């Protein structure tokens, strides 16, 4: 099979980690008889420097004509002084909206080989962690009305429709059905009207999934429980802003942001895949970046968009083999392990496919 992928390396360490993931994909193609066609385009700061805008039309056109989109990271101090609507991060919101990417899947998995990196007490994570955060991605406060009433007062509006809540809830319940049939919906229904609609709508969707146990948590309680008793969670369903915060918290209790992938899905199988971490401009070009989150994002792409479960498992197993042999990047380094550069880790994973 031939698959076209729009590749958006982005800024900072983005090009480095994306390059290693593409090596892995080429090896998968060679081993399993697929062809991956990569169309490199610009996004974020690099696009601003080259074209004057963070999300050029050429990038949108390429993405729309591809089977999937693969992204590195965007942003950095170089562009921090730009107005909010001109910053590189605005391109992320833009491409999500342009491509209808409404469902963000962020698995927070603690690899056995990295349990010593977990900041929680060992008894809190005994037996490992495997949490999936399902975040609504194109609604809520990030896309609501915003502005200034005067020079001293700014506002941002949190707004959700029943339709937006229903479609992300259905994704979350479907995921729960494939896992442990437990779903935690997060809101702030004791204060926010939009959260009351969220809770009411999720309850209605739940009627179609009687096999799934539904819990409702206020967002502050969920944040506390993630560090107090993380093993109680399986699938967490959240709004855009709550998911942005909670998924980062969930990722850090696994030990390293550099290990965690994500998928942003539209209706059907189309998706954009990227690591959870940012552009880390302070280590760009030094060979210190951990490419494993990006490589695992490629594994998610193989699974969710291309339906290649065997190939996806091959990538995941290669990452586990490299970790089990003691190879590490600096962010997950511990005593007695072998420190590797970005490209060395990529080469090791590629050779284990």
């Amino acid at each position: 099979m031939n698959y076209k992928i729009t590749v958006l390396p982005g800024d900072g360490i983005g090009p480095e980690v994306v390059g290693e993931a593409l090596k892995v994909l080429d090896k998968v193609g060679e081993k399993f008889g697929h062809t991956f066609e990569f169309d490199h385009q610009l996004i974020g700061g690099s696009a601003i420097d080259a074209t004057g805008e963070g999300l050029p039309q050429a990038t949108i056109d390429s993405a729309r004509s591809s089977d999937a989109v693969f992204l590195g990271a965007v942003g950095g101090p170089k562009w921090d002084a730009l107005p909010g609507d001109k910053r590189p991060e605005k391109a992320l919101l833009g491409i999500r909206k342009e491509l209808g990417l409404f469902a963000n899947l962020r698995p927070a998995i603690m690899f056995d080989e990295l349990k010593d990196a977990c900041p929680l007490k060992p008894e809190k994570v005994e037996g490992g962690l495997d949490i999936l955060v399902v975040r609504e991605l194109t609604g809520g406060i990030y896309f609501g009305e915003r502005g200034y009433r005067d020079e001293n007062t700014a506002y941002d509006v949190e707004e959700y429709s029943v339709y937006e809540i229903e479609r992300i809830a259905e994704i979350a319940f479907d995921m729960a059905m494939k896992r442990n049939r437990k779903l935690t919906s997060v809101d702030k229904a004791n204060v926010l009207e939009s959260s009351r609609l969220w809770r009411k709508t999720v309850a209605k969707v739940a009627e179609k999934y009687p096999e799934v146990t539904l819990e409702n948590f206020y967002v502050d309680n969920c944040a506390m429980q993630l560090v107090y008793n993380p093993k109680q969670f399986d699938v967490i369903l959240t709004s855009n802003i709550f998911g942005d915060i909670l998924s980062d918290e969930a990722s850090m209790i696994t030990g390293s942001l550099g290990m965690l992938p994500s998928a942003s899905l539209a209706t059907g199988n189309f998706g954009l895949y990227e690591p959870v971490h940012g552009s880390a401009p302070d280590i760009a070009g030094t060979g210190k970046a951990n490419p494993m989150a990006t490589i695992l994002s490629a594994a998610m792409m193989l699974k969710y968009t291309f339906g290649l479960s065997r190939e996806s498992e091959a990538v995941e197993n290669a990452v586990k083999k490299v970790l089990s042999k003691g190879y590490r990047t600096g962010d997950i380094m511990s005593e007695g392990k072998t420190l590797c550069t970005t490209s060395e880790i990529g080469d090791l994973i590629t050779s284990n496919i």
Side-chain angles (χ1 to χ4, degrees), residues 43 71 74 88-97 143 274:
I43 194 171
L71 172 67
V74 301
E89 295 81 4
K90 183 72 174 178
L92 289 181
L93 300 180
I95 198 165
R96 289 167 185 168
K97 202 74 171 179
F143 290 92
E274 61 181 312

Side-chain angles (χ1 to χ4, degrees), residues 147-276:
Y148 282 83
R149 290 195 176 89
D150 55 51
E151 62 181 13
N152 297 313
T153 308
Y155 63 91
D156 298 273
V157 176
E158 170 82 352
E159 182 176 277
Y160 270 110
S161 68
V162 168
Y163 168 72
E164 289 174 312
I165 301 167
E166 282 179 341
R167 66 178 182 174
I168 191 65
E170 286 173 357
I171 293 284
F173 276 103
D174 286 341
M175 292 294 165
M177 285 292 293
K178 297 172 184 175
R179 292 167 57 96
N180 295 312
R181 303 192 176 192
K182 181 179 180 183
L183 177 67
T184 303
S185 179
V186 176
D187 58 43
K188 192 63 177 169
N190 56 334
V191 176
L192 301 177
E193 205 65 53
S194 57
S195 280
R196 294 184 186 112
L197 179 64
W198 180 280
R199 184 173 293 206
K200 177 182 175 182
T201 305
V202 170
K204 190 169 183 61
V205 174
E207 294 173 3
K208 297 190 291 186
Y209 298 86
E211 304 95 331
V212 176
T213 300
L214 171 64
E215 294 180 318
N216 293 289
F217 274 39
Y218 295 141
V219 62
D220 41 356
N221 184 38
C222 184
M224 179 186 71
Q225 293 292 334
L226 270 171
V227 293
Y228 179 71
N229 182 20
K231 289 181 68 66
Q232 69 182 289
F233 297 108
D234 189 55
V235 177
I236 298 176
L237 168 63
T238 78
S239 65
N240 205 341
I241 188 170
F242 294 160
D244 193 1
I245 298 164
L246 292 175
S247 59
D248 277 4
E249 182 188 11
S251 68
M252 282 311 298
I253 64 176
T254 67
S256 172
L257 208 58
M259 293 299 302
L260 299 169
S262 77
S264 300
L265 305 178
T267 301
N269 295 325
F270 186 84
L272 180 150
Y273 298 84
E274 61 181 312
V276 170

Side-chain angles (χ1 to χ4, degrees), residues 106-117:
R106 285 191 175 186
I109 299 170
M110 189 182 76
F111 290 86
D112 288 341
E113 295 82 0
L114 298 178
K115 60 186 177 183
D116 291 342

Side-chain angles (χ1 to χ4, degrees), residues 111-132:
F111 290 86
D112 288 341
E113 295 82 0
L114 298 178
K115 60 186 177 183
D116 291 342
C118 176
L120 303 183
K121 294 179 179 179
E123 59 267 26
K124 298 284 188 184
V125 293
E126 185 67 36
L129 289 176
D130 185 354
I131 300 169
L132 177 63

Side-chain angles (χ1 to χ4, degrees), residues 4-7 63 66-70 270-273 301 305-306:
K4 181 184 176 184
I5 303 168
T6 294
V7 178
S66 294
D67 299 305
V69 179
F70 198 62
F270 186 84
L272 180 150
Y273 298 84
M301 179 172 62
T305 291
F306 302 149

Side-chain angles (χ1 to χ4, degrees), residues 315-329:
V315 175
E316 293 172 351
N317 289 335
V319 171
K320 291 175 183 176
K321 284 180 185 176
V322 168
L323 291 173
S324 68
K325 292 175 182 176
Y327 298 109
R328 301 286 189 271
T329 46

